[in-house]
Amino acid sequence: MKVLVIGSGGREHAIVDALTRSPQAEKIYCAPGNAGIARQAECVPIRETEVERLRDFAAAEGIGLTVVGPEVALAAGIVDVFKAAGLRIFGPTKAAARIESSKEFAKELMARHGIPTAGFRSFTEYEAARAYVAGRPFPAVLKYDGLAAGKGVVIAQTLEEADAALRDMLLDDRFGAGKVVVEDYLEGPEFSFMCFVSGRRVWPMALAQDHKRAYDGDRGPNTGGMGAYSPLPFITAEDEKYALEHILQPVADAMADEGCPFEGVLYGGLMKTAQGIRVIEFNARFGDPETEVVLPRLRSDIVDIFCAVAEGRDARLEWHDFATLGIVLASKGYPGAYEKGYEIKGLDRVGGTVYHMGTRADGDRVLTAGGRVLFVVGQGATLAEAREKALADVARIECDGLFHRTDIGHRALDETEK
Ligand code: AMP
Ligand code: GLY
């Protein structure tokens, strides 16, 4: 079968890499791809949001399966357009993808179905939002109600900070016109629970934890994610069972009951609070960078799973026992302004896996081309060994324009090292 992957980041590189392990994927394409993906797939110069061009390409090339990476393609309706043309595609429709693209849709669905999450109210008016926040305890959690590349959430410690964020989102329309959801502040370790979902069928993946803050010690601004690892020693089998039975399965059922059944990856961003497990957010796709540490642990043939989801059949997921830990190399300045075009050297000296997140080929050279640039994955019998390997590989990569966190996995490793 010919398979097309949509997207250009580390997540898509990990999906392409998993596809190369399937005997069923006879030829792999990626649109638009990047310099690393180009070594494992044929890159097609069509952007993620050009959904009609992608459909025409898939039809003309006889693509048997298309797998969608990024939320922008889902929000652009790529699944609806492919399905209307009779093409097999892995991902939710635009209506089902609202579980991610609209915070308000997700919060209201959870409220209707008793799914545990932080209390919330949504606002369109700056004055009303400010008055509400001023009368509540801090920190205040403010979320822009739409896609904002992981940058639409502000945890404000003071009224001044909250005011600045509300002005930004509601008066200056920084992410576009829209609402703001104000949520109760929750505390506890966060984890990512991704499931393959096909209507009411839900197959859990191995758990992972992302690190959203830019700098060591979980300091600095929120980013798209600076590192990840799997498995998670601090989430018990009971926690996982609870999350599956009280969160992921009921959400899949709720979407089916409400006329927009979900197909694809449903990603629960969950928090283990003192009061129990709560939903922080849902995504309608594979997480990035979680996918880069979870898919290497998948033993099953990923083409079988993608096809089972798309066709509403049963599938079984099997996992490797080893641990994975990955570190993002990001452009200095990210998630703020940064420069691109720095040459990356030493990639051939790396022993483990490197997924490209934002790179560009220039002849034989590889250049930085995004905020998050590379994802270096270590694999080991334990998380400690996986981290050692990842850090050793990071040290082999030379590039002036990059920085990284050195404490990925600290929540799991600091505990076991004690
Ligand atoms: P989100 O994009 O909704 O996942 O939010 C980004 C990050 O903000 C999360 O990973 C959390 O660290 C933090 N966050 C979001 N909602 C809350 C909340 N209700 N309480 C505490 N922290 C939160
Ligand atoms: N790693 C968080 C996300 O994919 O949204």
Side-chain angles (χ1 to χ4, degrees):
M1 180 189 304
K2 291 183 179 176
V3 186
L4 168 65
V5 177
I6 309 291
S8 64
R11 166 183 48 208
E12 290 75 21
H13 195 174
I15 295 170
V16 164
D17 190 37
L19 285 167
T20 63
R21 294 192 289 272
S22 167
Q24 297 182 74
E26 154 206 337
K27 167 117 205 201
I28 307 167
Y29 298 88
C30 187
N34 64 37
I37 293 173
R39 295 180 188 170
Q40 293 179 277
E42 184 174 327
C43 292
V44 183
I46 307 178
R47 272 181 290 129
E48 292 94 329
T49 46
E50 294 180 281
V51 296
E52 278 88 12
R53 282 190 67 199
L54 290 166
R55 173 201 58 201
D56 295 346
F57 172 80
E61 283 301 316
I63 303 287
L65 168 70
T66 298
V67 181
V68 187
E71 59 274 30
V72 285
L74 298 170
I78 188 167
V79 172
D80 310 68
V81 167
F82 271 59
K83 285 196 165 161
L87 294 164
R88 180 157 52 189
I89 185 160
F90 176 86
T93 59
K94 192 172 174 177
R98 281 179 301 166
I99 192 85
E100 169 169 7
S101 62
S102 167
K103 299 265 184 208
E104 194 181 31
F105 174 85
K107 290 301 264 186
E108 287 181 348
L109 184 110
M110 285 189 271
R112 278 197 300 279
H113 296 271
I115 314 273
T117 186
F120 76 103
R121 272 187 61 179
S122 55
F123 295 89
T124 41
E125 302 294 333
Y126 160 76
E127 292 295 343
R130 188 184 191 282
Y132 178 72
V133 169
R136 286 170 37 97
F138 281 84
V141 180
L142 312 172
K143 299 188 177 183
Y144 174 72
D145 185 33
L147 296 179
K151 292 163 202 158
V153 176
V154 175
I155 313 284
Q157 302 296 336
T158 62
L159 183 57
E160 289 73 57
E161 273 176 52
D163 184 62
L166 290 173
R167 282 176 182 277
D168 218 25
M169 295 186 206
L170 289 173
L171 293 181
D172 301 338
D173 293 345
R174 174 164 173 215
F175 305 110
K179 296 182 193 174
V180 167
V181 173
V182 181
E183 273 188 21
D184 295 342
Y185 179 76
L186 302 179
E187 266 174 305
E190 288 179 59
F191 61 104
S192 305
F193 193 2
M194 299 190 283
C195 294
F196 289 103
V197 174
S198 180
R200 293 174 196 276
R201 293 171 210 265
V202 179
W203 308 310
M205 290 188 229
L207 300 177
Q209 189 182 47
D210 184 10
H211 296 59
K212 295 214 169 156
R213 302 298 198 97
Y215 314 129
D216 279 354
D218 292 323
R219 286 176 230 279
N222 260 319
T223 68
M226 293 297 292
Y229 62 101
S230 176
L232 306 182
F234 54 89
I235 301 297
T236 64
E238 268 150 56
D239 292 334
E240 199 173 331
K241 185 164 181 280
Y242 176 90
L244 186 61
E245 289 175 1
H246 293 87
I247 297 172
L248 279 306
Q249 182 68 55
V251 166
D253 290 339
M255 306 261 320
D257 289 339
E258 297 199 7
C260 53
F262 193 93
E263 246 177 52
V265 173
L266 181 61
Y267 164 126
L270 311 180
M271 191 184 270
K272 184 174 175 173
T273 75
Q275 289 73 40
I277 293 174
R278 300 280 183 274
V279 176
I280 295 291
E281 65 163 348
F282 283 112
N283 292 325
R285 52 169 174 84
F286 281 109
D288 193 358
E290 291 91 331
T291 301
E292 293 95 305
V293 292
V294 169
L295 288 188
R297 298 189 60 218
L298 179 67
R299 268 173 84 155
S300 316
D301 182 333
I302 201 165
V303 171
D304 277 342
I305 301 167
F306 286 145
C307 291
V309 168
E311 289 158 13
R313 277 191 285 111
D314 261 329
R316 265 197 59 186
L317 268 59
E318 286 179 36
W319 300 93
H320 291 289
D321 285 333
F322 60 72
T324 47
L325 185 144
I327 301 169
V328 171
L329 303 188
S331 294
K332 287 176 184 164
Y334 173 80
Y338 56 83
E339 287 173 11
K340 305 189 236 190
Y342 289 92
E343 183 172 1
I344 305 166
K345 289 187 183 159
L347 287 170
D348 48 347
R349 290 199 295 273
V350 166
T353 304
V354 178
Y355 292 125
H356 290 225
M357 303 184 99
T359 61
R360 182 167 71 76
D362 175 34
D364 287 341
R365 303 190 311 154
V366 176
L367 307 181
T368 66
R372 293 187 297 172
V373 175
L374 296 172
F375 191 76
V376 179
V377 186
Q379 193 175 307
T382 62
L383 280 169
E385 189 188 330
R387 172 161 76 176
E388 236 169 73
K389 288 193 182 161
L391 283 168
D393 274 344
V394 166
R396 295 185 175 106
I397 295 172
E398 291 166 46
C399 181
D400 289 337
L402 299 178
F403 79 100
H404 65 275
R405 281 183 61 162
T406 61
D407 66 345
I408 300 304
H410 65 85
R411 179 173 292 276
L413 289 161
D414 295 351
E415 276 170 26
T416 48
E417 275 164 12
K418 260 178 221 156

